[in-house]
Amino acid sequence: MTVAEIRELIQLACDTGIAELEVQRGEDRVRIRRAGFPAQQEFIVPPQPVSAALAATEAPAATEAPKETKQADPNLVLVKAPIVGTFYESPSPDAPPFVRVGDRVQPGKVLCIIESMKLMNEIEAETAGVIESKLVMNGQPVEYGEALFAVRAV
């Protein structure tokens, strides 16, 4: 990293008002911390259950039981995002969803698409069962390992 690049980063930190900036390029690593800001504190926020407002927007709403109760059920399998991206329930905006709550699915059935880096990745069912609930909204960003669907194994 050159001195000019470091100066640009310092200017960026000043212009945006951020307290701390860390950049790594290969072996080079720079951390810029502005004076006058308190030391950074880390807060770990536990994931929150699906809200009643979110459940009310889905048609039809499958269940309003808290997520903790669902995970305790041994017949309930959570389909989780294998990648980070944007969740889509249908192949195009005007097409019907791949699956709906109450649909019976078999292994290999496409449940949704996750767009990541301009690539459309089909997410398939790994077990046979019935879609118990959809846990994310269409167009919502999802993280690796985030639960997308709850499937009741049959």
Side-chain angles (χ1 to χ4, degrees):
M1 203 173 288
T2 66
V3 173
E5 290 173 323
I6 295 171
R7 285 186 179 143
E8 285 180 38
L9 292 173
I10 292 169
Q11 188 63 44
L12 176 68
C14 290
D15 291 347
T16 60
I18 59 175
E20 186 173 338
L21 174 68
E22 185 172 345
V23 177
Q24 181 171 352
R25 287 190 190 151
E27 298 286 323
D28 297 331
R29 186 174 176 177
V30 173
R31 178 183 290 165
I32 300 167
R33 188 177 304 162
R34 294 181 54 209
F37 286 92
Q40 176 182 354
Q41 294 181 356
E42 285 190 29
F43 296 98
I44 300 174
V45 180
Q48 298 179 5
V50 177
S51 69
L54 175 62
T57 62
E58 296 195 14
T63 179
E64 293 186 21
K67 189 184 280 187
E68 290 80 13
T69 304
K70 290 180 183 178
Q71 291 177 340
D73 188 343
N75 293 328
L76 205 60
V77 177
L78 294 178
V79 176
K80 297 182 178 182
I83 55 174
V84 173
T86 304
F87 172 89
Y88 293 109
E89 64 182 9
S90 61
S92 66
D94 56 343
F98 289 108
V99 294
R100 298 182 193 276
V101 173
D103 286 356
R104 183 176 288 274
V105 295
Q106 296 297 323
K109 167 74 173 153
V110 176
L111 302 175
C112 64
I113 293 175
I114 295 181
E115 178 187 6
S116 180
M117 298 178 65
K118 305 288 183 193
L119 295 175
M120 301 298 181
N121 302 280
E122 293 182 342
I123 309 305
E124 300 177 349
E126 294 182 5
T127 59
V130 176
I131 302 293
E132 183 85 7
S133 62
K134 183 179 80 167
L135 303 172
V136 293
M137 294 181 61
N138 193 41
Q140 174 181 334
V142 293
E143 295 184 16
Y144 172 80
E146 183 174 345
L148 307 173
F149 293 94
V151 178
R152 181 160 308 281
V154 291

